[in-house]
Amino acid sequence: MSVQRRSALAEGLVGEMGLLAEEQFARAEELIARIAAEGIETIRLTFADQHGVIRGKTVVAEAFASAVKSGMAVTSTLLLKDTSHRTVFPVWTRDAGFGAGMLTGASDILLVPDPATFRVVPWSPHSAWILCDLYLKDGTPIPFSSRTILKNSVAKLAEREMALICGLEVEFYVYALEDARLTHAETGMPPAPPKTGLVAHGYQYLTESRYDALEDIMDELRRNAVKLGMPVRSMEAEFGPSQCEFTFEPATALEHADTMLLFRSMVKALCARRGLHATFMCRPQVENGMASGWHLHQSVVSTVSGENLFMPGPDGALTPAASGWIAGLLAHARESCLLTTPTVNGYKRYQAFQLAPDRVQWGRDNKGAMIRGLMAPGDRASRIENRVAEPAANPYLYFASQILGGLDGIRAGREAPAPVENPYETDAKLLPRSLIAAVEAFEGSELFRAELGADFVRYLAHIKRAEWERYLSVVSDWEQREYFTTF
């Protein structure tokens, strides 16, 4: 019976187009049996959109086999929206900007489940999550699919018998929800933000009392993350009021990109069920708030020997791999910012003396520098920490930017400059000061045009320009205060 069903799955559209391998169909067969045995009722077929937001469809358990066999159709405009959820490409014309007939007419694309990503949802155990990859209806991979972009970047690194190992430090806020603002007048694209209060005071970094005030929330988040297979390492009460941090043990780039995608969604869902509001927005507009960052620890290992290629020899000098990787990240830092810091708000974090970087440089164990070097002879955990990103970044694009930038440094034989000691008092190039500056740097990137394709560069820049133009069209509180009575 099992062999017959597996053969039937592989004979469908997905198998005919070669979108899943035989072992993946075998795994899907096991999942179908598990779904029936455990009484799972619904399967959430999900994918990461261009912003790293989870989207998808939920099917009943009996329909899961069909989704594996033939894929699940979703509307292509999901890939063409800015962060207000507005479609910003002319999809009702013959050519929306990608060639005649490509992603036009709100036509369908295919979700193909990745059986390796199946997880039962701990807080909703009748339901399961599974991540999907995106294809056109003829089986062609969609060039704008961020998970595919990361897979391709990982493969390029693997060609040199190398792999990226990542550790995550993620900061975010959990607020009390005072008013969800669900009146008809408060809807829109985007809707009115909720009104919130604090669940803990801040600016008492790592004090026991602040953690204790947050412990019941931290515990629920930790327990559910562990049930989802996430390698949680620590939980902290961060600097800001109601600000939290989770860190995760090292894993591969794809594993931790999936982790971050699901972790953000999990945190927001669990907090909402408790009458709280969680946000990974970098710098919320609240009194006495502090910006949140997303620090990515990185090392490169040999896929042949397992050796950490960043661990220095007895003299402590940077290895060629570490030097090239750091140099590559620095060389492409400004043009990478659209992938590491993709929101208008994220650029308000780049301020001196705020434990955040504001310029392109590296230092040894220096938390003011963009890249913090943590490498010592004999230390198998030797690594760098890139502190540039905001926690709202699309994890797949963020990790891809690190791989492509670092790999370019290694390929080109680049050498890292001398580390800095006073990161806020150097003449190093500044990071982009605004989203539009990051867009322009990204558009001019020879690296990303070569590695990701000119179409992708135009695609993402177009979406982000749409956001920037909406931002400019709104009169801010600062303008009203500054000019309304002066002129």
Side-chain angles (χ1 to χ4, degrees):
M1 177 68 73
S2 177
V3 173
Q4 291 178 345
R5 183 183 290 179
R6 182 158 60 249
S7 175
L9 290 177
E11 289 174 358
L13 181 65
V14 170
E16 291 174 3
M17 295 188 297
L19 306 184
L20 290 177
E22 182 59 36
E23 59 269 22
Q24 292 175 298
F25 284 116
R27 175 60 177 146
E29 172 69 15
E30 295 171 358
L31 294 177
I32 291 170
R34 178 183 173 186
I35 289 166
E38 297 182 10
I40 296 171
E41 300 173 13
T42 58
I43 316 297
R44 305 179 186 185
L45 305 175
T46 61
F47 70 97
D49 75 359
Q50 54 278 18
H51 308 292
V53 173
I54 293 184
R55 297 184 186 264
K57 288 187 176 182
T58 299
V59 299
V60 297
E62 294 77 9
F64 179 64
S66 174
V68 174
K69 184 176 180 178
S70 302
M72 173 60 65
V74 296
T75 308
S76 58
T77 53
L78 294 174
L79 295 176
L80 306 177
K81 298 180 182 295
D82 69 3
T83 48
S84 73
H85 301 268
R86 300 169 188 263
T87 299
V88 295
F89 290 88
V91 297
W92 304 114
T93 61
R94 182 171 178 270
D95 186 346
F98 317 111
M102 174 76 164
L103 304 183
T104 57
S107 55
D108 285 340
I109 56 176
L110 285 181
L111 301 183
V112 176
D114 179 349
T117 66
F118 183 91
R119 297 169 172 87
V120 174
V121 179
W123 62 92
S124 183
H126 70 281
S127 185
W129 253 341
I130 192 165
L131 294 173
C132 301
D133 293 306
L134 304 179
Y135 297 88
L136 298 176
K137 289 187 290 185
D138 65 1
T140 303
I142 294 179
F144 311 138
S145 169
S146 55
R147 194 166 190 261
T148 298
I149 285 171
L150 178 57
K151 286 183 175 181
N152 292 341
S153 300
V154 168
K156 290 175 181 178
L157 190 58
E159 291 173 359
R160 297 185 71 92
E161 299 181 334
M162 296 176 177
L164 176 65
I165 302 299
C166 304
L168 309 184
E169 290 185 24
V170 185
E171 297 170 355
F172 58 97
Y173 277 97
V174 176
Y175 294 118
L177 183 62
E178 297 180 348
D179 182 358
R181 302 186 69 179
L182 291 175
T183 68
H184 292 293
E186 292 169 319
T187 190
M189 300 174 71
K195 294 181 179 178
T196 59
L198 299 177
V199 294
H201 287 108
Y203 298 102
Q204 298 175 33
Y205 180 51
L206 296 187
T207 57
E208 175 67 12
S209 60
R210 289 295 162 252
Y211 179 82
D212 194 67
L214 292 165
E215 185 177 39
D216 62 331
I217 299 169
M218 296 283 202
D219 282 347
E220 184 169 4
L221 297 179
R222 171 183 53 81
R223 289 168 183 150
N224 281 274
V226 170
K227 289 177 182 177
L228 286 167
M230 299 176 184
V232 176
R233 179 182 177 87
S234 68
M235 302 77 60
E236 300 174 10
E238 258 292 346
F239 266 112
S242 283
Q243 190 178 36
C244 307
E245 178 180 89
F246 267 58
T247 71
F248 297 86
E249 297 282 2
T252 68
L254 185 62
E255 287 170 336
H256 261 341
D258 289 346
T259 293
M260 184 62 172
L261 181 79
L262 297 176
F263 178 73
R264 287 193 304 215
S265 188
M266 179 203 79
V267 169
K268 292 177 73 66
L270 287 172
C271 287
R273 287 172 178 244
R274 291 175 63 112
L276 303 169
H277 177 75
T279 182
F280 291 80
M281 177 182 178
C282 180
R283 191 178 175 187
Q285 189 186 32
V286 295
E287 291 184 53
N288 299 314
M290 183 171 180
S292 292
W294 175 11
H295 308 150
L296 184 63
H297 292 253
Q298 309 173 35
S299 60
V300 173
V301 301
S302 166
T303 56
V304 176
S305 66
E307 174 190 4
N308 182 347
L309 301 178
F310 283 8
M311 186 174 72
D315 64 356
L318 293 178
T319 66
S323 183
W325 194 270
I326 292 171
L329 294 184
L330 295 177
H332 301 292
R334 287 178 54 81
E335 64 209 62
S336 296
C337 272
L338 192 63
L339 307 181
T340 66
T341 312
T343 74
V344 167
N345 183 256
Y347 292 88
K348 296 176 181 180
R349 171 174 167 260
Y350 293 162
Q351 297 184 22
F353 308 106
Q354 296 294 317
L355 283 173
D358 71 339
R359 58 200 78 190
V360 180
Q361 55 198 346
W362 82 283
R364 292 189 181 275
D365 200 4
N366 192 317
K367 294 181 180 178
M370 187 188 93
I371 294 176
R372 177 186 176 211
L374 296 165
M375 296 162 286
D379 182 2
R380 295 183 180 180
S382 291
R383 64 199 185 277
I384 65 165
E385 175 193 23
N386 196 338
R387 301 171 62 82
V388 75
E390 63 171 323
N394 180 321
Y396 303 100
L397 298 182
Y398 178 16
F399 293 4
S401 76
Q402 303 302 280
I403 291 173
L404 297 175
L407 181 56
D408 179 70
I410 290 174
R411 284 173 175 165
R414 297 178 187 268
E415 294 184 1
V420 300
E421 295 183 359
N422 299 304
Y424 300 122
E425 298 178 0
T426 74
D427 59 359
K429 289 183 179 179
L430 293 174
L431 290 164
R433 307 302 292 171
S434 66
L435 178 64
I436 192 60
V439 169
E440 291 168 349
F442 181 70
E443 288 175 319
S445 171
E446 294 182 6
L447 174 72
F448 291 128
R449 287 183 178 276
E451 298 289 352
L452 302 180
D455 285 344
F456 178 79
V457 171
R458 286 195 297 269
Y459 158 80
L460 190 61
H462 180 88
I463 290 173
K464 292 300 172 181
R465 281 184 178 275
E467 291 174 24
W468 179 254
E469 288 166 5
R470 283 194 300 107
Y471 171 69
L472 289 182
S473 71
V474 177
V475 177
S476 67
D477 291 342
W478 185 93
E479 293 169 90
Q480 188 75 356
R481 180 183 295 270
E482 188 80 3
Y483 304 130
F484 195 53
T485 59
T486 301
F487 297 110

